Amino acid sequence: ILESRVAGNVLGPPPYGMETSDIEYPLWFQGTWNAVSTTTNVQAPCGIALFGGNATFEKARREIGTTLRYQCRFLPINNSTKMIADRDYNIRSIAKAALGENSIVDMPLVTPNQLTAIVASSNLIRIDLVVVARRQEHVNEHQFDCSEVVREVISAATNNKKAQPVLKEIETTSLYTFVEKSSCIRCRQRSATFLLPSQSDPLQLRMWQLVQGRPVDVRFYDLMYT
């Protein structure tokens, strides 16, 4: 299922639900890795207007070919051969690389199914992530696929009643291959952003009706872990 969603760039909503309590990676993920993520494509399946407009789309397209370098870590579950991602470490590392050294002000909640981060932008913003779907597939001893769908809520960190929170769901699917000869991991990754309906924002509700379950923002990445 997961490989077909990436290879076929499937534009329908994910067909899976919450299948595991956390993603359990193979033993070959154990340890700390240097990660290089390269943006390979950016698409607007529902049109540029629903992507966010010309300026937003062109800014995203300029990221094609650019790389992000960070570290990530995977830890064993109770000394077993199954690994889980060190979410606190990994998210802080990615945020520092993407947004700056001091971008994460606080992370008061980090669990496999829910995360809250206070991020320094032009103003302090609060990002809440709730996992609503998860699937993993052990293809063979050298291939592992996994996917999570998170509901993202971005709001003002201060009590600003005028600012409406931004809601969306993001499906991130990763197809991993362990290259035993060079002891590295390669990954093809697809990120698809879906709109959510709003009862308080008529425009957001109308946009959600227009897309008919399709993602508005689809991005592809090539990753290398060494």
Side-chain angles (χ1 to χ4, degrees):
I1 290 176
L2 299 182
E3 184 176 5
S4 66
R5 288 188 67 76
V6 175
N9 193 19
V10 178
L11 299 181
Y16 51 88
M18 199 69 165
E19 299 185 1
T20 63
S21 59
D22 200 351
I23 294 176
E24 297 179 351
Y25 296 85
L27 178 62
W28 37 266
F29 272 87
Q30 184 172 10
T32 302
W33 299 80
N34 293 315
V36 179
S37 174
T38 303
T39 305
T40 59
N41 200 359
V42 176
Q43 300 176 2
C46 298
I48 294 175
L50 289 170
F51 186 96
N54 285 318
T56 302
F57 183 65
E58 288 305 317
K59 181 181 178 182
R61 293 281 297 175
R62 286 195 296 271
E63 293 178 5
I64 295 175
T66 63
T67 60
L68 190 67
R69 299 175 184 271
Y70 56 92
Q71 287 191 330
C72 58
R73 186 162 65 192
F74 299 85
L75 306 172
I77 307 172
N78 300 324
N79 296 318
S80 73
T81 58
K82 296 177 180 179
M83 303 293 126
I84 57 173
D86 186 341
R87 292 176 184 263
D88 186 291
Y89 179 92
N90 294 351
I91 289 171
R92 288 179 186 273
S93 179
I94 293 171
K96 286 179 182 180
L99 303 173
E101 183 69 26
N102 301 312
S103 54
I104 296 287
V105 177
D106 190 19
M107 285 177 59
L109 178 64
V110 182
T111 72
N113 297 327
Q114 193 169 352
L115 181 143
T116 298
I118 308 300
V119 179
S121 183
S122 53
N123 297 303
L124 285 182
I125 60 173
R126 174 187 172 116
I127 301 176
D128 289 288
L129 303 176
V130 178
V131 180
V132 296
R134 178 186 289 131
R135 180 178 174 86
Q136 62 186 40
E137 298 174 354
H138 291 267
V139 181
N140 58 49
E141 63 178 351
H142 291 118
Q143 288 182 273
F144 175 75
D145 302 340
C146 62
S147 186
E148 283 189 335
V149 180
V150 298
R151 183 163 296 159
E152 180 183 86
V153 182
I154 300 177
S155 56
T158 56
N159 189 18
N160 185 352
K161 295 182 179 180
K162 292 183 179 180
Q164 290 289 326
V166 178
L167 287 80
K168 55 189 175 182
E169 284 187 353
I170 303 169
E171 178 193 24
T172 303
T173 305
S174 303
L175 312 179
Y176 294 102
T177 301
F178 178 51
V179 185
E180 192 169 9
K181 185 177 181 180
S182 55
S183 297
C184 67
I185 300 173
R186 295 183 180 273
C187 175
R188 286 188 295 151
Q189 191 175 79
R190 175 183 181 265
S191 173
T193 300
F194 297 83
L195 299 181
L196 292 173
S198 172
Q199 300 303 318
S200 59
D201 186 339
L203 178 58
Q204 188 170 337
L205 177 61
R206 179 58 180 156
M207 290 169 63
W208 173 77
Q209 292 170 333
L210 286 172
V211 301
Q212 298 180 334
R214 296 170 296 163
V216 295
D217 180 338
V218 175
R219 307 187 191 204
F220 289 86
Y221 306 90
D222 283 342
L223 285 83
M224 172 75 82
Y225 292 178
T226 55

